[in-house]
Amino acid sequence: METREYIEELNGLENLDCAYVSCKGTTHCLSQNNYSNTLHNIRSLSKLVVSLCVGILLDRQQEFGVALSLDTPVWAFVKKHANANDDNRRLLEKVKLIDLLNQTTGFSDETLMFRNTIDLDNADSLMDMVVNSPITYMPGEQFVYSNASAYILSCFVQEISGYRLDEFARKYLFEPLGIEEFEWDIYGKFCAGASGLKLSFNSFRKIAELIRANYALRMSKIISYDYIRYLVEEQKRIKGTRYLTAPMEPIAYGLLVYRSKANFIYVNGAGGQLFVYDPDKDIIILVFSHMQHSTKLANLTYEFINKCKKEK
């Protein structure tokens, strides 16, 4: 499938708002109803922003007077904001920063911290709810996708930097990229993290190009190349039949991003949002839509990338 054909297929999808495809040195943009500068709920694409904020925090650790790495235990920084039962606390003390980033914290509940499962009327106690949820796996062992890890990371960034995550993102990520307008939901004392972020399509394009520039050109602008390299590379293998049949064939997880069997990373939102970066072919795909079912978008994109990879 040529890029032109893929663009035509995208343009024919129902409820498409904006799309951006960069492939073979050419860029194609689609926009419906002047939507590119309107704030859009990016759903789980928020996790990518959380990951980038963690990377910036690691890069700037001396500024905040701490020594950090991906192997840093997080409980020492989070415990003043959470009251865990004794059994959970003993396990949470083993959780490292990398475990939060690759969704191997130990929680078994895949709906944990999803908006329809939390009581926002008691938002100040949400962290207690999270840390007392059943932990059935040893930290670092089993991938289980949920929003809980990003919420704990939100607390972690706030405790170390003194900035709430949305404020940290504004100062260290958005403003350096020229992003002025955004909104991010706050759950109690902390930024929601894994969801609730509203950005315009053009703003997220800047984030996508930041990742590409750092990985492909090793520019280390705003965030280090080393962190982007870890973000893109496989960190944890995914087990489970539900993933084997998923449209993008995810086989591993990076740093809050999926890694496909076809060797590209992606993040997708439940409302038809999709970001894809293929470092091998230097392909970026970004789609904002309001589709109730985005399987067709995923299948179409996966077919396009696979055909690009077969070309010499």
Side-chain angles (χ1 to χ4, degrees):
M1 180 187 297
E2 293 292 334
T3 306
R4 176 179 50 79
E5 295 178 80
Y6 175 63
I7 294 294
E8 289 175 356
E9 292 277 3
L10 277 181
N11 202 31
L13 292 178
E14 188 176 0
N15 297 324
L16 178 75
D17 297 314
C18 300
Y20 167 68
V21 181
S22 177
C23 180
K24 299 179 182 178
T26 59
T27 297
H28 305 265
C29 295
L30 296 172
S31 180
Q32 309 281 344
N33 303 318
N34 298 316
Y35 201 84
S36 56
N37 288 311
T38 303
L39 292 183
H40 186 114
N41 187 345
I42 66 171
R43 310 289 285 268
S44 283
L45 270 64
S46 305
K47 293 181 178 67
L48 178 61
V49 178
V50 175
S51 183
L52 293 175
C53 286
V54 171
I56 294 169
L57 183 68
L58 288 169
D59 292 341
R60 292 177 170 268
Q61 56 186 273
Q62 291 185 342
E63 180 179 330
F64 300 110
V66 292
L68 300 173
S69 73
L70 290 174
D71 289 324
T72 295
V74 300
W75 183 246
F77 299 96
V78 174
K79 63 182 181 181
K80 66 181 287 186
H81 300 287
N83 296 305
N85 64 65
D86 289 343
D87 289 340
N88 276 22
R89 177 182 50 76
R90 283 190 284 270
L91 289 170
L92 288 165
E93 288 173 347
K94 301 178 185 294
V95 174
K96 300 176 182 179
L97 187 56
I98 186 66
D99 300 328
L100 293 171
L101 289 164
N102 63 30
Q103 300 269 25
T104 59
T105 311
F107 298 116
S108 60
D109 186 353
E110 295 182 347
T111 67
L112 192 55
M113 281 297 295
F114 279 53
R115 191 180 181 93
N116 62 351
T117 68
I118 59 179
D119 180 9
L120 290 178
D121 291 333
N122 295 294
D124 285 344
S125 63
L126 285 177
M127 188 60 73
D128 287 343
M129 181 273 290
V130 168
V131 300
N132 286 290
S133 297
I135 300 177
T136 56
Y137 303 107
M138 285 297 294
E141 288 187 356
Q142 180 69 33
F143 170 86
V144 178
Y145 183 90
S146 79
N147 287 345
S149 293
Y151 191 61
I152 297 173
L153 285 170
S154 177
C155 174
F156 179 79
V157 171
Q158 181 171 323
E159 176 62 20
I160 290 176
S161 71
Y163 295 99
R164 202 172 57 200
L165 180 63
D166 57 313
E167 297 166 341
F168 185 94
R170 180 192 300 276
K171 180 177 177 64
Y172 293 103
L173 178 62
F174 295 155
E175 287 184 352
L177 285 173
I179 297 171
E180 297 179 357
E181 291 189 67
F182 76 97
E183 297 174 6
W184 210 336
D185 289 348
I186 308 302
Y187 289 171
K189 303 173 186 177
F190 310 107
C191 177
S195 61
L197 175 58
K198 297 179 180 66
L199 280 172
S200 73
F201 182 80
N202 284 341
S203 291
F204 204 96
R205 270 189 61 184
K206 294 177 180 179
I207 294 171
E209 289 294 349
L210 172 70
I211 292 171
R212 176 186 176 274
N214 275 268
Y215 188 83
L217 306 176
R218 302 193 180 192
M219 293 178 63
S220 291
K221 179 182 178 183
I222 301 176
I223 187 170
S224 66
Y225 161 75
D226 284 341
Y227 187 82
I228 296 298
R229 177 172 57 86
Y230 278 117
L231 184 147
V232 169
E233 291 176 351
E234 175 183 321
Q235 297 297 330
K236 190 69 180 181
R237 279 273 162 164
I238 293 174
K239 301 175 183 177
T241 55
R242 63 169 288 199
Y243 296 104
L244 296 177
T245 58
M248 305 290 268
E249 292 194 328
I251 61 166
Y253 209 65
L255 304 181
L256 290 180
V257 297
Y258 283 106
R259 185 170 179 85
S260 169
K261 181 180 179 180
N263 294 325
F264 61 84
I265 64 165
Y266 73 96
V267 190
N268 57 330
Q273 304 80 28
L274 177 65
F275 165 68
V276 171
Y277 174 52
D278 184 333
D280 298 330
K281 289 292 186 178
D282 196 23
I283 297 171
I284 292 177
I285 296 170
L286 177 63
V287 177
F288 277 17
S289 68
H290 52 286
M291 303 173 187
Q292 287 188 332
H293 304 287
S294 54
T295 301
K296 187 174 181 180
L297 168 64
N299 287 334
L300 179 67
T301 301
Y302 192 58
E303 179 185 358
F304 168 65
I305 293 177
N306 270 327
K307 289 188 176 181
C308 287
K309 285 181 173 292
K310 292 176 182 178
E311 296 176 359
K312 295 184 179 180

